[in-house]
Amino acid sequence: GGGGGFGSPLGRDLYALARDVRCGYVSKDAAEKYYGAVFEPGTSKLDLAATEARRAEMRRQGLPHDQPIADTGVPPPTPATPTSPAASH
């Protein structure tokens, strides 16, 4: 989970991300998948060099892709059809 933010998750400050993982605001799985985090084996400590390399690779691949949280079941609105001023007279 988590709330929406500004900009790419790959630009998230690593120290802030590490704090969010420690506090439980972001899971390690989400940090790895969406933020490109790489943790030192068996720990919750970020491997900064490996994380930067992974983020660079993710950027080259155009990741992460936005994923809708839920399908509301409501179709998006249909754009209005433009009318010419002459047609309204």
Side-chain angles (χ1 to χ4, degrees):
F6 295 99
S8 170
L10 299 179
R12 176 88 165 119
D13 177 77
L14 294 179
Y15 295 100
L17 177 60
R19 182 197 63 231
D20 289 350
V21 170
R22 280 192 315 273
C23 292
Y25 301 132
V26 176
S27 70
K28 280 180 72 173
D29 288 341
E32 292 169 342
K33 182 175 181 180
Y34 299 110
Y35 295 87
V38 177
F39 294 93
E40 292 181 6
T43 73
S44 290
K45 185 176 179 184
L46 283 173
D47 180 327
L48 299 179
T51 295
E52 289 299 342
R54 183 166 188 214
R55 284 177 161 194
E57 179 59 28
M58 289 175 76
R59 284 184 188 100
R60 279 192 289 278
Q61 294 176 18
L63 298 173
H65 298 293
D66 288 336
Q67 297 179 357
I69 294 172
D71 182 4
T72 63
V74 178
T78 305
T81 304
T83 59
S84 68
S88 62
H89 292 268

